PDB file of all heavy atoms in Angstrom:
ATOM      1  N   GLY A 707      -8.044   6.740 -16.159  1.00 95.00           N
ATOM      2  CA  GLY A 707      -7.641   7.030 -17.574  1.00 95.00           C
ATOM      3  C   GLY A 707      -7.781   5.835 -18.485  1.00 95.00           C
ATOM      4  O   GLY A 707      -7.738   5.949 -19.752  1.00 95.00           O
ATOM      5  N   ARG A 714       1.403  -3.624 -17.970  1.00 95.00           N
ATOM      6  CA  ARG A 714       2.455  -2.924 -17.395  1.00 95.00           C
ATOM      7  C   ARG A 714       2.802  -3.473 -15.988  1.00 95.00           C
ATOM      8  O   ARG A 714       3.630  -2.957 -15.231  1.00 95.00           O
ATOM      9  CB  ARG A 714       2.301  -1.445 -17.326  1.00 95.00           C
ATOM     10  CG  ARG A 714       2.247  -1.003 -18.722  1.00 95.00           C
ATOM     11  CD  ARG A 714       2.103   0.552 -18.806  1.00 95.00           C
ATOM     12  NE  ARG A 714       2.070   0.932 -20.306  1.00 95.00           N
ATOM     13  CZ  ARG A 714       2.278   2.135 -20.770  1.00 95.00           C
ATOM     14  NH1 ARG A 714       2.480   3.054 -19.859  1.00 95.00           N
ATOM     15  NH2 ARG A 714       2.181   2.361 -22.011  1.00 95.00           N
ATOM     16  N   TYR A 752      23.867   8.612  -7.789  1.00 88.00           N
ATOM     17  CA  TYR A 752      24.158   9.275  -6.546  1.00 88.00           C
ATOM     18  C   TYR A 752      24.341   8.315  -5.456  1.00 88.00           C
ATOM     19  O   TYR A 752      23.833   7.268  -5.450  1.00 88.00           O
ATOM     20  CB  TYR A 752      22.987  10.298  -6.311  1.00 88.00           C
ATOM     21  CG  TYR A 752      22.911  11.438  -7.249  1.00 88.00           C
ATOM     22  CD1 TYR A 752      21.917  11.450  -8.260  1.00 88.00           C
ATOM     23  CD2 TYR A 752      23.856  12.445  -7.315  1.00 88.00           C
ATOM     24  CE1 TYR A 752      21.857  12.441  -9.145  1.00 88.00           C
ATOM     25  CE2 TYR A 752      23.787  13.463  -8.209  1.00 88.00           C
ATOM     26  CZ  TYR A 752      22.824  13.513  -9.167  1.00 88.00           C
ATOM     27  OH  TYR A 752      22.735  14.413 -10.012  1.00 88.00           O
ATOM     28  N   ARG A 799      -8.493  17.637 -11.530  1.00 96.00           N
ATOM     29  CA  ARG A 799      -7.808  18.324 -10.522  1.00 96.00           C
ATOM     30  C   ARG A 799      -8.040  17.684  -9.164  1.00 96.00           C
ATOM     31  O   ARG A 799      -8.065  18.369  -8.132  1.00 96.00           O
ATOM     32  CB  ARG A 799      -8.242  19.756 -10.491  1.00 96.00           C
ATOM     33  CG  ARG A 799      -7.343  20.693 -11.387  1.00 96.00           C
ATOM     34  CD  ARG A 799      -8.031  20.785 -12.801  1.00 96.00           C
ATOM     35  NE  ARG A 799      -7.299  21.563 -13.751  1.00 96.00           N
ATOM     36  CZ  ARG A 799      -7.737  22.856 -13.876  1.00 96.00           C
ATOM     37  NH1 ARG A 799      -8.670  23.378 -13.315  1.00 96.00           N
ATOM     38  NH2 ARG A 799      -6.878  23.503 -14.712  1.00 96.00           N
ATOM     39  N   TYR A 809      -8.065  -1.538 -12.047  1.00 98.00           N
ATOM     40  CA  TYR A 809      -7.841  -2.006 -13.377  1.00 98.00           C
ATOM     41  C   TYR A 809      -8.630  -3.265 -13.622  1.00 98.00           C
ATOM     42  O   TYR A 809      -8.776  -4.053 -12.748  1.00 98.00           O
ATOM     43  CB  TYR A 809      -6.390  -2.413 -13.567  1.00 98.00           C
ATOM     44  CG  TYR A 809      -5.359  -1.377 -13.270  1.00 98.00           C
ATOM     45  CD1 TYR A 809      -4.596  -1.434 -12.108  1.00 98.00           C
ATOM     46  CD2 TYR A 809      -5.096  -0.237 -14.160  1.00 98.00           C
ATOM     47  CE1 TYR A 809      -3.701  -0.405 -11.782  1.00 98.00           C
ATOM     48  CE2 TYR A 809      -4.248   0.652 -13.864  1.00 98.00           C
ATOM     49  CZ  TYR A 809      -3.491   0.573 -12.700  1.00 98.00           C
ATOM     50  OH  TYR A 809      -2.592   1.502 -12.399  1.00 98.00           O
ATOM     51  N   VAL A 835      14.492  17.398  -9.340  1.00 95.00           N
ATOM     52  CA  VAL A 835      14.124  18.434 -10.369  1.00 95.00           C
ATOM     53  C   VAL A 835      13.506  19.641  -9.805  1.00 95.00           C
ATOM     54  O   VAL A 835      13.205  20.632 -10.644  1.00 95.00           O
ATOM     55  CB  VAL A 835      13.193  17.803 -11.375  1.00 95.00           C
ATOM     56  CG1 VAL A 835      13.835  16.666 -12.193  1.00 95.00           C
ATOM     57  CG2 VAL A 835      11.938  17.251 -10.648  1.00 95.00           C
ATOM     58  N   PRO A 837      13.519  23.242  -8.348  1.00 96.00           N
ATOM     59  CA  PRO A 837      14.681  24.144  -8.282  1.00 96.00           C
ATOM     60  C   PRO A 837      14.844  24.705  -6.925  1.00 96.00           C
ATOM     61  O   PRO A 837      15.892  25.406  -6.716  1.00 96.00           O
ATOM     62  CB  PRO A 837      14.176  25.330  -9.240  1.00 96.00           C
ATOM     63  CG  PRO A 837      12.644  25.059  -9.299  1.00 96.00           C
ATOM     64  CD  PRO A 837      12.388  23.654  -9.084  1.00 96.00           C
ATOM     65  N   ARG A 860       5.919  22.761 -10.739  1.00 96.00           N
ATOM     66  CA  ARG A 860       5.218  21.466 -11.014  1.00 96.00           C
ATOM     67  C   ARG A 860       6.152  20.453 -11.801  1.00 96.00           C
ATOM     68  O   ARG A 860       5.702  19.512 -12.357  1.00 96.00           O
ATOM     69  CB  ARG A 860       3.854  21.640 -11.821  1.00 96.00           C
ATOM     70  CG  ARG A 860       3.032  22.568 -11.058  1.00 96.00           C
ATOM     71  CD  ARG A 860       1.634  22.727 -11.816  1.00 96.00           C
ATOM     72  NE  ARG A 860       1.719  23.291 -13.157  1.00 96.00           N
ATOM     73  CZ  ARG A 860       2.081  24.506 -13.340  1.00 96.00           C
ATOM     74  NH1 ARG A 860       2.393  25.360 -12.418  1.00 96.00           N
ATOM     75  NH2 ARG A 860       2.169  24.907 -14.630  1.00 96.00           N
ATOM     76  N   ASN A 865       7.843  14.737 -13.103  1.00 96.00           N
ATOM     77  CA  ASN A 865       8.789  13.701 -12.989  1.00 96.00           C
ATOM     78  C   ASN A 865       8.396  12.618 -12.141  1.00 96.00           C
ATOM     79  O   ASN A 865       9.143  11.546 -11.934  1.00 96.00           O
ATOM     80  CB  ASN A 865      10.183  14.338 -12.553  1.00 96.00           C
ATOM     81  CG  ASN A 865      11.329  13.581 -13.222  1.00 96.00           C
ATOM     82  OD1 ASN A 865      11.180  13.064 -14.215  1.00 96.00           O
ATOM     83  ND2 ASN A 865      12.429  13.603 -12.512  1.00 96.00           N
TER      84      ASN A 865
ATOM     85  N   ALA B  53      -6.134  27.827 -16.238  1.00 96.00           N
ATOM     86  CA  ALA B  53      -5.434  27.210 -17.371  1.00 96.00           C
ATOM     87  C   ALA B  53      -6.007  25.829 -17.581  1.00 96.00           C
ATOM     88  O   ALA B  53      -6.683  25.359 -16.730  1.00 96.00           O
ATOM     89  CB  ALA B  53      -3.941  27.266 -17.395  1.00 96.00           C
ATOM     90  N   VAL B  55      -4.270  23.059 -17.564  1.00 96.00           N
ATOM     91  CA  VAL B  55      -3.383  21.983 -17.051  1.00 96.00           C
ATOM     92  C   VAL B  55      -4.025  21.312 -15.863  1.00 96.00           C
ATOM     93  O   VAL B  55      -5.024  21.761 -15.329  1.00 96.00           O
ATOM     94  CB  VAL B  55      -2.050  22.648 -16.541  1.00 96.00           C
ATOM     95  CG1 VAL B  55      -1.136  22.910 -17.730  1.00 96.00           C
ATOM     96  CG2 VAL B  55      -2.263  23.980 -15.727  1.00 96.00           C
ATOM     97  N   HIS B 118       3.980  30.534 -15.716  1.00 95.00           N
ATOM     98  CA  HIS B 118       3.523  29.141 -15.313  1.00 95.00           C
ATOM     99  C   HIS B 118       3.787  28.763 -13.862  1.00 95.00           C
ATOM    100  O   HIS B 118       3.446  27.788 -13.427  1.00 95.00           O
ATOM    101  CB  HIS B 118       4.125  28.149 -16.235  1.00 95.00           C
ATOM    102  CG  HIS B 118       5.250  27.281 -15.671  1.00 95.00           C
ATOM    103  ND1 HIS B 118       6.563  27.744 -15.419  1.00 95.00           N
ATOM    104  CD2 HIS B 118       5.298  25.996 -15.350  1.00 95.00           C
ATOM    105  CE1 HIS B 118       7.263  26.789 -14.908  1.00 95.00           C
ATOM    106  NE2 HIS B 118       6.548  25.728 -14.830  1.00 95.00           N
ATOM    107  N   ASP B 140      18.416  24.587  -5.995  1.00 94.00           N
ATOM    108  CA  ASP B 140      18.959  23.237  -6.167  1.00 94.00           C
ATOM    109  C   ASP B 140      19.594  23.193  -7.581  1.00 94.00           C
ATOM    110  O   ASP B 140      18.909  23.219  -8.546  1.00 94.00           O
ATOM    111  CB  ASP B 140      17.870  22.145  -6.099  1.00 94.00           C
ATOM    112  CG  ASP B 140      18.345  20.733  -6.293  1.00 94.00           C
ATOM    113  OD1 ASP B 140      19.597  20.543  -6.516  1.00 94.00           O
ATOM    114  OD2 ASP B 140      17.515  19.859  -6.148  1.00 94.00           O
ATOM    115  N   GLN B 142      20.881  21.089  -9.113  1.00 92.00           N
ATOM    116  CA  GLN B 142      20.736  19.816  -9.735  1.00 92.00           C
ATOM    117  C   GLN B 142      19.525  19.882 -10.719  1.00 92.00           C
ATOM    118  O   GLN B 142      19.285  19.072 -11.607  1.00 92.00           O
ATOM    119  CB  GLN B 142      20.361  18.770  -8.721  1.00 92.00           C
ATOM    120  CG  GLN B 142      21.189  17.420  -8.924  1.00 92.00           C
ATOM    121  CD  GLN B 142      20.656  16.327  -7.889  1.00 92.00           C
ATOM    122  OE1 GLN B 142      20.227  16.738  -6.829  1.00 92.00           O
ATOM    123  NE2 GLN B 142      20.822  15.118  -8.223  1.00 92.00           N
ATOM    124  N   SER B 143      18.645  20.867 -10.526  1.00 95.00           N
ATOM    125  CA  SER B 143      17.442  20.999 -11.170  1.00 95.00           C
ATOM    126  C   SER B 143      17.570  21.692 -12.504  1.00 95.00           C
ATOM    127  O   SER B 143      18.184  22.703 -12.603  1.00 95.00           O
ATOM    128  CB  SER B 143      16.399  21.769 -10.401  1.00 95.00           C
ATOM    129  OG  SER B 143      15.273  22.148 -11.218  1.00 95.00           O
ATOM    130  N   ILE B 233      12.210  11.434 -16.206  1.00 94.00           N
ATOM    131  CA  ILE B 233      12.038  10.047 -16.582  1.00 94.00           C
ATOM    132  C   ILE B 233      10.744   9.714 -17.353  1.00 94.00           C
ATOM    133  O   ILE B 233      10.461   8.545 -17.656  1.00 94.00           O
ATOM    134  CB  ILE B 233      12.012   9.087 -15.317  1.00 94.00           C
ATOM    135  CG1 ILE B 233      10.771   9.456 -14.519  1.00 94.00           C
ATOM    136  CG2 ILE B 233      13.150   9.240 -14.435  1.00 94.00           C
ATOM    137  CD1 ILE B 233      10.535   8.388 -13.362  1.00 94.00           C
ATOM    138  N   ALA B 380       1.733   8.398 -20.049  1.00 95.00           N
ATOM    139  CA  ALA B 380       2.987   7.999 -19.399  1.00 95.00           C
ATOM    140  C   ALA B 380       2.930   6.606 -18.793  1.00 95.00           C
ATOM    141  O   ALA B 380       2.221   5.746 -19.346  1.00 95.00           O
ATOM    142  CB  ALA B 380       3.410   9.003 -18.408  1.00 95.00           C
ATOM    143  N   ASP B 382       1.617   5.009 -16.077  1.00 96.00           N
ATOM    144  CA  ASP B 382       0.475   4.352 -15.382  1.00 96.00           C
ATOM    145  C   ASP B 382      -0.837   4.685 -16.179  1.00 96.00           C
ATOM    146  O   ASP B 382      -1.274   5.832 -16.145  1.00 96.00           O
ATOM    147  CB  ASP B 382       0.346   5.030 -13.984  1.00 96.00           C
ATOM    148  CG  ASP B 382      -0.774   4.180 -13.217  1.00 96.00           C
ATOM    149  OD1 ASP B 382      -1.504   3.401 -13.781  1.00 96.00           O
ATOM    150  OD2 ASP B 382      -0.822   4.426 -12.007  1.00 96.00           O
ATOM    151  N   PHE B 384      -3.758   4.289 -15.519  1.00 97.00           N
ATOM    152  CA  PHE B 384      -4.813   4.888 -14.785  1.00 97.00           C
ATOM    153  C   PHE B 384      -4.752   6.450 -14.862  1.00 97.00           C
ATOM    154  O   PHE B 384      -5.753   7.092 -14.677  1.00 97.00           O
ATOM    155  CB  PHE B 384      -4.623   4.500 -13.277  1.00 97.00           C
ATOM    156  CG  PHE B 384      -5.841   4.873 -12.394  1.00 97.00           C
ATOM    157  CD1 PHE B 384      -6.912   4.052 -12.379  1.00 97.00           C
ATOM    158  CD2 PHE B 384      -5.789   5.954 -11.519  1.00 97.00           C
ATOM    159  CE1 PHE B 384      -8.057   4.408 -11.715  1.00 97.00           C
ATOM    160  CE2 PHE B 384      -6.832   6.302 -10.833  1.00 97.00           C
ATOM    161  CZ  PHE B 384      -7.957   5.514 -10.794  1.00 97.00           C
TER     162      PHE B 384
END
Side-chain angles (χ1 to χ4, degrees):
Chain A
R714 296 185 182 195
Y752 292 107
R799 274 90 178 261
Y809 305 105
V835 293
R860 306 183 299 289
N865 214 25
Chain B
V55 281
H118 104 288
D140 184 357
Q142 227 183 334
S143 165
I233 63 171
D382 187 349
F384 189 79

